Amino acid sequence: SRGQPDIIDAEKDNGWVTVVEPRTRVDLTKEVCEHPFRFDDAFPDTCGNASVYASSVAKLIPGVFTGGRSTVFAFGQTGSGKTHTLMGPNG
């Protein structure tokens, strides 16, 4: 990590995602700005697929089978595992 902090930190227990923005001021001094965002759920990179599924999708399934509708919106960088998380290895 070259002595620099991660640019994104997700805290599973409270739904906070913090984006860390390293900056260089006009006078060339360095600073780090933190931008916090709050979500219903947030999953760190150490969280496995089963945990993501159990926390966010599993509770929607019974309603779908009784005529309800649900939407799962997965947002992330290309290649980060969104389809694999939702569909499994054969998705």
Side-chain angles (χ1 to χ4, degrees), residues 10-60:
E11 298 178 28
K12 171 67 178 119
D13 294 334
N14 60 19
W16 283 99
V17 173
T18 303
V19 177
V20 178
E21 178 187 9
R23 291 184 179 175
T24 302
R25 294 180 172 191
V26 176
D27 65 0
L28 300 180
T29 57
K30 305 259 185 222
E31 69 176 344
V32 175
C33 294
E34 294 186 357
H35 307 283
F37 298 90
R38 179 80 160 86
F39 298 94
D40 293 337
D41 281 313
F43 303 95
D45 59 348
T46 56
C47 204
N49 290 348
S51 180
V52 172
Y53 177 82
S55 295
S56 58
V57 179
K59 55 190 163 200
L60 302 175

Side-chain angles (χ1 to χ4, degrees), residues 1-5:
S1 78
R2 298 184 299 176
Q4 297 177 351

Side-chain angles (χ1 to χ4, degrees), residues 57-68:
V57 179
K59 55 190 163 200
L60 302 175
I61 301 302
V64 171
F65 285 115
T66 58

